[in-house]
Each structure stands twice: as C-alpha cells, then as structure tokens.
Amino acid sequence: MIYIDDLISEMKSLYQVEGTIRFCHPAYEKFHQDLMDFIYENHFENTQEWETISQNLVYKSTQYMSRSEGDIILVQLDLLKRRVLAKENEGFWSYIHPLIYQVSEERFHGGFYADAVESALKEVNSRVKKLYRKYRNEEKDGQDLMRKAFTPSNPFLIFEGIDTESGRNVQEGYMQIFAGAMQGIRNPKAHENLSISREDAIKRLVLASLLMDKIDEAVRFASLSEL
C-alpha cells in the first residue's frame, strides 16, 4: 500500500538529488513506480490532478525534470491528499451538523485540525450568542453565555420540560457540557498555538455537532426564530 504522504516526501527528496533528474535515476524510478501504484490503487487515473501530474513526468531517458515541473507535481499531490482525506471521511462527515461542516470541513481537509475544532466551537458560541442577544437583549460570551442560556433556574434555551426532576437534570447536564466545551476546548485553542491529531479533531467535531443538534432541539421546543 502506497500512502500519499510517502509520495509527497519522495517528491520533495528529488529536489535534493545532485545532477539532472532523468527517467533512469533510481530515486525517480522509485517515485514513478510508487506514484503509478498509488494512482491505480485509488482509482485516481481520471482525475484532473493526475492529468496535470502526468503531463509533467519524465517518460524517456532523454528527458529530465525541471524545478518548475517538480513544483507543479508537488502542488497536485497536495490536492490529491485532499481527495484521499475526503474519501476516508465520507462516513464521518455524514454525522456532522451542516453548520459545523460549513465552517470546519475545508480546514480539516487542509490538515489544520486545531483550527477546524476552534471554528466549530466558535460557531456554536456565535449561534447561542445571537439568539441570546435577540431574545434577552444582553451581550454574553463563552462559558458565561452558556450558563446563562441553559441554566435550569431561568433557562432561555430549553431542551424539554423542566417541571420534572428528569427534565431539570437534562437541562443542567447539557448546560455543563456547553460551558465545559467553551472553557476546556474552545478557549485553549483560541489563545494558544496548539496542535492536535486528526483523530482528536474528529472526536471534538462530533462533540461540536452534538451541541449544534441540541441547539436545534431547543430552538424547536421554544419555537424561536433565528432570522
């Protein structure tokens, strides 16, 4: 199995080769073979990226690869990486709330995982903030906003009736989750240059999506307008 990151690394290593890169150069031969295997294993032979790459490859021993051709190939490999990530995450994104997808998908596929999570939680905060400003005429933000909006004692956004102990427990539980997400996940991402893994980003995006789903539920329950 050939991986796109390996191909990108091989392409970058060709820049360090002394002399002219021709078809018979061992490093180029390996790159070319790995590239062909990758393209056909992943059924990318009909993509625009492959068409552009193939036009810039060396096919005869009398040809050589220029720096500009190498740059074009590297750019197209980066674009193919996005295709790979999109294929890997088709199932994952189908579970994500549309508003989270809208602000996070491009950042996530670009490998900016912390930015994708930060954008998702900022969108959650922004949505609650706009509703709270509209109906309570107050300006709140972050965990303080979440505690004010979802407090069981005088909630603005309600998930179900709070006249029962079960309803109050649900209300308080989600208030803590909303506030905790702002304090424990959004704020550190916003104030520090943190790096997280792809897997950790997926888990946090799922959480952000759940929060958006709960806002949908609260908006429906109280028949609120977001216009």
mmCIF file of all heavy atoms in Angstrom, residues 124 143 146-147 149-152 157-160 166-182 207 209-215 217-218:
data_model
loop_
_atom_site.group_PDB
_atom_site.id
_atom_site.type_symbol
_atom_site.label_atom_id
_atom_site.label_comp_id
_atom_site.label_asym_id
_atom_site.label_seq_id
_atom_site.Cartn_x
_atom_site.Cartn_y
_atom_site.Cartn_z
ATOM 1 N N VAL A 124 -20.707 27.400 17.383
ATOM 2 C CA VAL A 124 -21.673 27.080 18.438
ATOM 3 C C VAL A 124 -21.899 28.301 19.319
ATOM 4 O O VAL A 124 -23.036 28.694 19.606
ATOM 5 C CB VAL A 124 -21.166 25.890 19.291
ATOM 6 C CG1 VAL A 124 -22.047 25.705 20.527
ATOM 7 C CG2 VAL A 124 -21.140 24.605 18.466
ATOM 8 N N GLN A 143 -18.301 30.539 28.280
ATOM 9 C CA GLN A 143 -18.938 29.705 29.310
ATOM 10 C C GLN A 143 -19.997 30.476 30.086
ATOM 11 O O GLN A 143 -21.020 29.903 30.497
ATOM 12 C CB GLN A 143 -17.886 29.134 30.256
ATOM 13 C CG GLN A 143 -17.080 30.158 31.022
ATOM 14 C CD GLN A 143 -16.245 29.510 32.115
ATOM 15 O OE1 GLN A 143 -16.716 28.637 32.845
ATOM 16 N NE2 GLN A 143 -14.983 29.905 32.221
ATOM 17 N N MET A 146 -23.156 30.328 28.106
ATOM 18 C CA MET A 146 -23.785 29.009 28.150
ATOM 19 C C MET A 146 -24.509 28.785 29.479
ATOM 20 O O MET A 146 -25.603 28.218 29.518
ATOM 21 C CB MET A 146 -22.746 27.916 27.920
ATOM 22 C CG MET A 146 -22.026 28.040 26.586
ATOM 23 S SD MET A 146 -23.172 28.127 25.168
ATOM 24 C CE MET A 146 -22.096 28.784 23.890
ATOM 25 N N ARG A 147 -23.904 29.239 30.572
ATOM 26 C CA ARG A 147 -24.555 29.064 31.872
ATOM 27 C C ARG A 147 -25.818 29.919 31.989
ATOM 28 O O ARG A 147 -26.808 29.507 32.594
ATOM 29 C CB ARG A 147 -23.566 29.401 32.994
ATOM 30 C CG ARG A 147 -22.406 28.419 33.075
ATOM 31 C CD ARG A 147 -21.547 28.617 34.306
ATOM 32 N NE ARG A 147 -20.394 27.734 34.273
ATOM 33 C CZ ARG A 147 -20.418 26.438 34.574
ATOM 34 N NH1 ARG A 147 -21.559 25.875 34.951
ATOM 35 N NH2 ARG A 147 -19.316 25.720 34.511
ATOM 36 N N ALA A 149 -27.683 30.926 29.332
ATOM 37 C CA ALA A 149 -28.672 30.481 28.345
ATOM 38 C C ALA A 149 -29.355 29.181 28.751
ATOM 39 O O ALA A 149 -30.540 28.981 28.462
ATOM 40 C CB ALA A 149 -28.006 30.315 26.978
ATOM 41 N N PHE A 150 -28.609 28.306 29.437
ATOM 42 C CA PHE A 150 -29.141 26.970 29.720
ATOM 43 C C PHE A 150 -29.412 26.702 31.197
ATOM 44 O O PHE A 150 -29.798 25.591 31.552
ATOM 45 C CB PHE A 150 -28.162 25.908 29.195
ATOM 46 C CG PHE A 150 -27.959 25.949 27.698
ATOM 47 C CD1 PHE A 150 -26.756 26.390 27.159
ATOM 48 C CD2 PHE A 150 -28.963 25.561 26.832
ATOM 49 C CE1 PHE A 150 -26.556 26.431 25.777
ATOM 50 C CE2 PHE A 150 -28.777 25.596 25.453
ATOM 51 C CZ PHE A 150 -27.578 26.040 24.934
ATOM 52 N N THR A 151 -29.219 27.698 32.057
ATOM 53 C CA THR A 151 -29.406 27.471 33.492
ATOM 54 C C THR A 151 -30.792 26.901 33.806
ATOM 55 O O THR A 151 -31.799 27.409 33.308
ATOM 56 C CB THR A 151 -29.196 28.771 34.285
ATOM 57 O OG1 THR A 151 -29.483 28.529 35.663
ATOM 58 C CG2 THR A 151 -30.092 29.884 33.770
ATOM 59 N N PRO A 152 -30.878 25.855 34.633
ATOM 60 C CA PRO A 152 -32.186 25.254 34.946
ATOM 61 C C PRO A 152 -33.102 26.211 35.716
ATOM 62 O O PRO A 152 -34.321 26.056 35.681
ATOM 63 C CB PRO A 152 -31.817 24.047 35.818
ATOM 64 C CG PRO A 152 -30.383 23.764 35.497
ATOM 65 C CD PRO A 152 -29.755 25.088 35.198
ATOM 66 N N LEU A 157 -32.806 28.719 26.611
ATOM 67 C CA LEU A 157 -32.899 27.603 25.672
ATOM 68 C C LEU A 157 -33.197 26.337 26.471
ATOM 69 O O LEU A 157 -32.412 25.923 27.323
ATOM 70 C CB LEU A 157 -31.590 27.453 24.890
ATOM 71 C CG LEU A 157 -31.274 28.594 23.913
ATOM 72 C CD1 LEU A 157 -29.864 28.459 23.349
ATOM 73 C CD2 LEU A 157 -32.284 28.619 22.773
ATOM 74 N N ILE A 158 -34.333 25.731 26.185
ATOM 75 C CA ILE A 158 -34.815 24.581 26.959
ATOM 76 C C ILE A 158 -34.923 23.367 26.041
ATOM 77 O O ILE A 158 -35.453 23.456 24.938
ATOM 78 C CB ILE A 158 -36.198 24.886 27.577
ATOM 79 C CG1 ILE A 158 -36.143 26.179 28.399
ATOM 80 C CG2 ILE A 158 -36.668 23.725 28.444
ATOM 81 C CD1 ILE A 158 -37.508 26.652 28.873
ATOM 82 N N PHE A 159 -34.429 22.222 26.519
ATOM 83 C CA PHE A 159 -34.438 21.010 25.700
ATOM 84 C C PHE A 159 -35.753 20.247 25.823
ATOM 85 O O PHE A 159 -36.219 19.609 24.904
ATOM 86 C CB PHE A 159 -33.277 20.104 26.094
ATOM 87 C CG PHE A 159 -31.947 20.797 26.007
ATOM 88 C CD1 PHE A 159 -31.179 21.000 27.134
ATOM 89 C CD2 PHE A 159 -31.468 21.261 24.792
ATOM 90 C CE1 PHE A 159 -29.962 21.639 27.058
ATOM 91 C CE2 PHE A 159 -30.256 21.908 24.709
ATOM 92 C CZ PHE A 159 -29.493 22.096 25.851
ATOM 93 N N GLU A 160 -36.332 20.271 27.008
ATOM 94 C CA GLU A 160 -37.619 19.620 27.259
ATOM 95 C C GLU A 160 -38.204 20.288 28.494
ATOM 96 O O GLU A 160 -37.593 21.183 29.072
ATOM 97 C CB GLU A 160 -37.440 18.112 27.464
ATOM 98 C CG GLU A 160 -36.484 17.755 28.586
ATOM 99 C CD GLU A 160 -36.269 16.260 28.731
ATOM 100 O OE1 GLU A 160 -35.479 15.710 27.946
ATOM 101 O OE2 GLU A 160 -36.895 15.662 29.626
ATOM 102 N N SER A 166 -36.232 14.828 36.051
ATOM 103 C CA SER A 166 -35.518 14.342 34.869
ATOM 104 C C SER A 166 -35.223 15.480 33.902
ATOM 105 O O SER A 166 -34.101 15.597 33.383
ATOM 106 C CB SER A 166 -36.352 13.262 34.169
ATOM 107 O OG SER A 166 -35.727 12.876 32.960
ATOM 108 N N GLY A 167 -36.215 16.329 33.657
ATOM 109 C CA GLY A 167 -36.027 17.457 32.754
ATOM 110 C C GLY A 167 -34.981 18.425 33.265
ATOM 111 O O GLY A 167 -34.149 18.934 32.499
ATOM 112 N N ARG A 168 -35.005 18.685 34.583
ATOM 113 C CA ARG A 168 -34.016 19.588 35.172
ATOM 114 C C ARG A 168 -32.608 18.996 35.088
ATOM 115 O O ARG A 168 -31.633 19.714 34.880
ATOM 116 C CB ARG A 168 -34.397 19.905 36.619
ATOM 117 C CG ARG A 168 -35.629 20.808 36.738
ATOM 118 C CD ARG A 168 -35.823 21.305 38.169
ATOM 119 N NE ARG A 168 -36.133 20.211 39.093
ATOM 120 C CZ ARG A 168 -37.363 19.759 39.338
ATOM 121 N NH1 ARG A 168 -38.412 20.311 38.717
ATOM 122 N NH2 ARG A 168 -37.561 18.782 40.196
ATOM 123 N N ASN A 169 -32.521 17.694 35.271
ATOM 124 C CA ASN A 169 -31.220 17.035 35.177
ATOM 125 C C ASN A 169 -30.640 17.137 33.767
ATOM 126 O O ASN A 169 -29.445 17.389 33.584
ATOM 127 C CB ASN A 169 -31.336 15.566 35.576
ATOM 128 C CG ASN A 169 -31.496 15.384 37.071
ATOM 129 O OD1 ASN A 169 -31.152 16.274 37.849
ATOM 130 N ND2 ASN A 169 -32.029 14.240 37.481
ATOM 131 N N VAL A 170 -31.508 16.928 32.761
ATOM 132 C CA VAL A 170 -31.067 17.068 31.373
ATOM 133 C C VAL A 170 -30.600 18.490 31.113
ATOM 134 O O VAL A 170 -29.541 18.725 30.523
ATOM 135 C CB VAL A 170 -32.205 16.684 30.398
ATOM 136 C CG1 VAL A 170 -31.844 17.090 28.966
ATOM 137 C CG2 VAL A 170 -32.483 15.188 30.467
ATOM 138 N N GLN A 171 -31.392 19.455 31.586
ATOM 139 C CA GLN A 171 -31.063 20.864 31.365
ATOM 140 C C GLN A 171 -29.716 21.220 31.997
ATOM 141 O O GLN A 171 -28.850 21.830 31.357
ATOM 142 C CB GLN A 171 -32.168 21.747 31.950
ATOM 143 C CG GLN A 171 -32.056 23.213 31.594
ATOM 144 C CD GLN A 171 -32.381 23.502 30.137
ATOM 145 O OE1 GLN A 171 -33.152 22.788 29.520
ATOM 146 N NE2 GLN A 171 -31.765 24.543 29.587
ATOM 147 N N GLU A 172 -29.530 20.829 33.245
ATOM 148 C CA GLU A 172 -28.281 21.157 33.938
ATOM 149 C C GLU A 172 -27.100 20.408 33.334
ATOM 150 O O GLU A 172 -26.012 20.963 33.189
ATOM 151 C CB GLU A 172 -28.389 20.843 35.426
ATOM 152 C CG GLU A 172 -27.128 21.232 36.188
ATOM 153 C CD GLU A 172 -27.282 21.125 37.697
ATOM 154 O OE1 GLU A 172 -28.371 20.722 38.169
ATOM 155 O OE2 GLU A 172 -26.311 21.445 38.397
ATOM 156 N N GLY A 173 -27.339 19.174 32.953
ATOM 157 C CA GLY A 173 -26.254 18.378 32.372
ATOM 158 C C GLY A 173 -25.725 18.991 31.088
ATOM 159 O O GLY A 173 -24.500 19.125 30.911
ATOM 160 N N TYR A 174 -26.619 19.391 30.217
ATOM 161 C CA TYR A 174 -26.172 19.989 28.953
ATOM 162 C C TYR A 174 -25.622 21.396 29.163
ATOM 163 O O TYR A 174 -24.728 21.828 28.421
ATOM 164 C CB TYR A 174 -27.288 19.967 27.919
ATOM 165 C CG TYR A 174 -27.306 18.668 27.154
ATOM 166 C CD1 TYR A 174 -28.241 17.681 27.442
ATOM 167 C CD2 TYR A 174 -26.352 18.411 26.167
ATOM 168 C CE1 TYR A 174 -28.238 16.478 26.759
ATOM 169 C CE2 TYR A 174 -26.342 17.208 25.487
ATOM 170 C CZ TYR A 174 -27.284 16.246 25.786
ATOM 171 O OH TYR A 174 -27.267 15.050 25.123
ATOM 172 N N MET A 175 -26.129 22.111 30.174
ATOM 173 C CA MET A 175 -25.525 23.403 30.492
ATOM 174 C C MET A 175 -24.047 23.208 30.832
ATOM 175 O O MET A 175 -23.181 23.968 30.361
ATOM 176 C CB MET A 175 -26.242 24.049 31.684
ATOM 177 C CG MET A 175 -25.628 25.378 32.118
ATOM 178 S SD MET A 175 -26.205 25.930 33.763
ATOM 179 C CE MET A 175 -25.343 24.747 34.831
ATOM 180 N N GLN A 176 -23.748 22.194 31.621
ATOM 181 C CA GLN A 176 -22.358 21.923 31.997
ATOM 182 C C GLN A 176 -21.524 21.511 30.788
ATOM 183 O O GLN A 176 -20.356 21.912 30.663
ATOM 184 C CB GLN A 176 -22.314 20.806 33.055
ATOM 185 C CG GLN A 176 -23.059 21.097 34.337
ATOM 186 C CD GLN A 176 -22.346 22.122 35.226
ATOM 187 O OE1 GLN A 176 -21.328 22.687 34.854
ATOM 188 N NE2 GLN A 176 -22.909 22.364 36.406
ATOM 189 N N ILE A 177 -22.117 20.738 29.892
ATOM 190 C CA ILE A 177 -21.381 20.310 28.695
ATOM 191 C C ILE A 177 -21.080 21.498 27.793
ATOM 192 O O ILE A 177 -19.954 21.660 27.304
ATOM 193 C CB ILE A 177 -22.177 19.234 27.931
ATOM 194 C CG1 ILE A 177 -22.286 17.957 28.770
ATOM 195 C CG2 ILE A 177 -21.496 18.920 26.587
ATOM 196 C CD1 ILE A 177 -23.220 16.909 28.192
ATOM 197 N N PHE A 178 -22.078 22.351 27.563
ATOM 198 C CA PHE A 178 -21.864 23.544 26.738
ATOM 199 C C PHE A 178 -20.793 24.439 27.354
ATOM 200 O O PHE A 178 -19.863 24.882 26.665
ATOM 201 C CB PHE A 178 -23.167 24.337 26.582
ATOM 202 C CG PHE A 178 -24.022 23.905 25.422
ATOM 203 C CD1 PHE A 178 -24.978 22.908 25.571
ATOM 204 C CD2 PHE A 178 -23.887 24.515 24.179
ATOM 205 C CE1 PHE A 178 -25.775 22.513 24.502
ATOM 206 C CE2 PHE A 178 -24.673 24.134 23.105
ATOM 207 C CZ PHE A 178 -25.619 23.120 23.261
ATOM 208 N N ALA A 179 -20.914 24.720 28.647
ATOM 209 C CA ALA A 179 -19.945 25.596 29.314
ATOM 210 C C ALA A 179 -18.562 24.957 29.337
ATOM 211 O O ALA A 179 -17.552 25.634 29.112
ATOM 212 C CB ALA A 179 -20.413 25.895 30.739
ATOM 213 N N GLY A 180 -18.510 23.653 29.576
ATOM 214 C CA GLY A 180 -17.224 22.958 29.610
ATOM 215 C C GLY A 180 -16.531 22.952 28.267
ATOM 216 O O GLY A 180 -15.296 23.076 28.186
ATOM 217 N N ALA A 181 -17.309 22.832 27.196
ATOM 218 C CA ALA A 181 -16.718 22.849 25.855
ATOM 219 C C ALA A 181 -16.090 24.211 25.560
ATOM 220 O O ALA A 181 -15.024 24.299 24.939
ATOM 221 C CB ALA A 181 -17.777 22.522 24.810
ATOM 222 N N MET A 182 -16.756 25.279 26.016
ATOM 223 C CA MET A 182 -16.203 26.625 25.804
ATOM 224 C C MET A 182 -14.942 26.831 26.629
ATOM 225 O O MET A 182 -13.933 27.354 26.140
ATOM 226 C CB MET A 182 -17.234 27.696 26.190
ATOM 227 C CG MET A 182 -18.471 27.738 25.313
ATOM 228 S SD MET A 182 -18.124 28.055 23.555
ATOM 229 C CE MET A 182 -18.700 26.517 22.829
ATOM 230 N N LEU A 207 -18.422 16.254 19.008
ATOM 231 C CA LEU A 207 -18.995 16.940 20.171
ATOM 232 C C LEU A 207 -19.635 18.257 19.757
ATOM 233 O O LEU A 207 -20.771 18.559 20.153
ATOM 234 C CB LEU A 207 -17.911 17.200 21.211
ATOM 235 C CG LEU A 207 -18.337 18.082 22.398
ATOM 236 C CD1 LEU A 207 -19.492 17.459 23.161
ATOM 237 C CD2 LEU A 207 -17.147 18.360 23.321
ATOM 238 N N SER A 209 -20.828 19.036 16.934
ATOM 239 C CA SER A 209 -22.026 18.725 16.160
ATOM 240 C C SER A 209 -23.185 18.350 17.080
ATOM 241 O O SER A 209 -24.338 18.747 16.845
ATOM 242 C CB SER A 209 -21.727 17.577 15.188
ATOM 243 O OG SER A 209 -22.812 17.360 14.324
ATOM 244 N N LEU A 210 -22.892 17.607 18.139
ATOM 245 C CA LEU A 210 -23.922 17.276 19.121
ATOM 246 C C LEU A 210 -24.489 18.546 19.749
ATOM 247 O O LEU A 210 -25.711 18.682 19.913
ATOM 248 C CB LEU A 210 -23.344 16.373 20.213
ATOM 249 C CG LEU A 210 -24.234 16.134 21.436
ATOM 250 C CD1 LEU A 210 -25.513 15.410 21.054
ATOM 251 C CD2 LEU A 210 -23.473 15.355 22.507
ATOM 252 N N LEU A 211 -23.608 19.486 20.072
ATOM 253 C CA LEU A 211 -24.074 20.747 20.660
ATOM 254 C C LEU A 211 -24.986 21.495 19.693
ATOM 255 O O LEU A 211 -26.011 22.065 20.101
ATOM 256 C CB LEU A 211 -22.876 21.616 21.050
ATOM 257 C CG LEU A 211 -21.939 21.025 22.115
ATOM 258 C CD1 LEU A 211 -20.827 22.014 22.451
ATOM 259 C CD2 LEU A 211 -22.696 20.622 23.372
ATOM 260 N N MET A 212 -24.632 21.508 18.416
ATOM 261 C CA MET A 212 -25.496 22.155 17.420
ATOM 262 C C MET A 212 -26.843 21.451 17.326
ATOM 263 O O MET A 212 -27.893 22.102 17.191
ATOM 264 C CB MET A 212 -24.817 22.159 16.051
ATOM 265 C CG MET A 212 -23.848 23.285 15.825
ATOM 266 S SD MET A 212 -24.645 24.903 15.898
ATOM 267 C CE MET A 212 -23.315 25.925 15.247
ATOM 268 N N ASP A 213 -26.839 20.135 17.394
ATOM 269 C CA ASP A 213 -28.096 19.385 17.369
ATOM 270 C C ASP A 213 -28.979 19.763 18.559
ATOM 271 O O ASP A 213 -30.207 19.888 18.429
ATOM 272 C CB ASP A 213 -27.824 17.883 17.392
ATOM 273 C CG ASP A 213 -27.304 17.354 16.063
ATOM 274 O OD1 ASP A 213 -27.545 18.013 15.029
ATOM 275 O OD2 ASP A 213 -26.662 16.284 16.061
ATOM 276 N N LYS A 214 -28.346 19.938 19.731
ATOM 277 C CA LYS A 214 -29.110 20.302 20.928
ATOM 278 C C LYS A 214 -29.668 21.725 20.816
ATOM 279 O O LYS A 214 -30.769 22.004 21.319
ATOM 280 C CB LYS A 214 -28.243 20.165 22.176
ATOM 281 C CG LYS A 214 -27.786 18.750 22.468
ATOM 282 C CD LYS A 214 -28.956 17.784 22.613
ATOM 283 C CE LYS A 214 -29.786 18.014 23.841
ATOM 284 N NZ LYS A 214 -30.865 17.014 24.007
ATOM 285 N N ILE A 215 -28.928 22.622 20.166
ATOM 286 C CA ILE A 215 -29.467 23.970 19.929
ATOM 287 C C ILE A 215 -30.686 23.885 19.018
ATOM 288 O O ILE A 215 -31.702 24.547 19.246
ATOM 289 C CB ILE A 215 -28.393 24.896 19.329
ATOM 290 C CG1 ILE A 215 -27.234 25.081 20.301
ATOM 291 C CG2 ILE A 215 -29.004 26.266 18.986
ATOM 292 C CD1 ILE A 215 -26.038 25.803 19.703
ATOM 293 N N GLU A 217 -32.713 21.460 18.818
ATOM 294 C CA GLU A 217 -33.781 20.908 19.645
ATOM 295 C C GLU A 217 -34.405 21.990 20.521
ATOM 296 O O GLU A 217 -35.638 22.079 20.642
ATOM 297 C CB GLU A 217 -33.188 19.794 20.514
ATOM 298 C CG GLU A 217 -34.187 19.027 21.354
ATOM 299 C CD GLU A 217 -33.511 17.949 22.174
ATOM 300 O OE1 GLU A 217 -32.609 17.261 21.629
ATOM 301 O OE2 GLU A 217 -33.872 17.796 23.353
ATOM 302 N N ALA A 218 -33.564 22.836 21.118
ATOM 303 C CA ALA A 218 -34.053 23.899 21.992
ATOM 304 C C ALA A 218 -34.817 24.959 21.207
ATOM 305 O O ALA A 218 -35.841 25.481 21.678
ATOM 306 C CB ALA A 218 -32.885 24.531 22.747
#
